[in-house]
Amino acid sequence: ILDDWINNYQGSNFCDLVKINSATKHVHVMLISTRPNIEEIAKGCKCDAWLSKPFNLDELEDILHNLAVKPTGVSTKATTGS
């Protein structure tokens, strides 16, 4: 789980590094953010799931469960207020 803003660094950049490396591309990455364009950012870095902040814990739990039972490379969309 990565926030898109980590101490002056973007989590989406880190996700890019994970997903382009053949040794780590299988690792599930979930991006969270307050940014209104989180879906576009998430798709751009090929993360496996994203969630808009603020979110409730039930949403987070559902996404984490789905990531645990699905293959990598299949995006899971989750946004609050929908």
Side-chain angles (χ1 to χ4, degrees), residues 31-43:
L31 195 63
I32 60 172
S33 182
T34 59
R35 295 177 187 221
N37 61 335
I38 183 61
E39 181 177 354
E40 181 180 321
I41 294 167
K43 287 180 179 179

Side-chain angles (χ1 to χ4, degrees), residues 52-74:
S52 295
K53 294 191 300 187
F55 55 85
N56 71 50
L57 293 179
D58 289 334
E59 285 179 293
L60 178 61
E61 185 178 331
D62 287 345
I63 292 170
L64 293 176
H65 172 76
N66 289 338
L67 288 176
V69 298
K70 77 174 191 72
T72 57
V74 180

